[in-house]
Amino acid sequence: MSGTQLTVTFSGGQVADDQAVVEALERDFGAPDERPTDENATVRTATFSGVTAGQAAGGTAGRAPGGTGGGGHLSAPVTVTLQGTPGAVRQASDLLAHAFTAHDEGAAAGDQEQERQLRLEP
């Protein structure tokens, strides 16, 4: 089942912070369809539409467990909402928890889709 979509919504922080988060996700999800760029936007998004079933199933080979994913430095706290298949959301949450200091702000699950909110700290 290829073509699974992961949508990441950002609030707080700056565009550079959002791009650091996107770079952390690119290792497993590939390049997003579009990067967040509008510094004046209240909410920015990135969509990864090339996610494959193997990627969404949690394939994190090549990364040291418990280590940092090298996502970079954040200038301010960023709230990230992940939306997609349960596997993609779980994998993205794990990646971000390894790359940044992450606090789980809650999740909502549906039949085919899940949503999780994380607060990433500098």
Side-chain angles (χ1 to χ4, degrees):
M1 173 165 126
S2 66
T4 302
Q5 190 170 4
L6 175 72
T7 301
V8 185
T9 306
F10 306 91
S11 60
Q14 300 175 2
V15 169
D17 299 322
D18 302 346
Q19 290 176 352
V21 173
V22 167
E23 287 172 12
L25 293 172
E26 281 181 326
R27 285 182 218 20
D28 281 13
F29 291 98
D33 297 343
E34 190 173 328
R35 293 180 173 275
T37 58
D38 185 357
E39 192 69 54
N40 296 318
T42 305
V43 176
R44 295 173 289 273
T45 62
T47 302
F48 297 86
S49 61
V51 179
T52 66
Q55 290 170 318
T60 56
R63 283 189 310 116
T68 24
H73 176 75
L74 300 176
S75 66
V78 177
T79 299
V80 176
T81 303
L82 306 166
Q83 185 177 14
T85 63
V89 170
R90 182 175 45 255
Q91 182 176 353
S93 296
D94 290 348
L95 280 167
L96 295 177
H98 283 84
F100 303 98
T101 300
H103 304 282
D104 191 343
E105 300 277 311
D111 255 1
Q112 306 292 317
E113 197 169 79
Q114 186 176 35
E115 182 176 294
R116 177 170 304 281
Q117 190 170 61
L118 301 171
R119 182 168 176 83
L120 306 179
E121 300 289 337

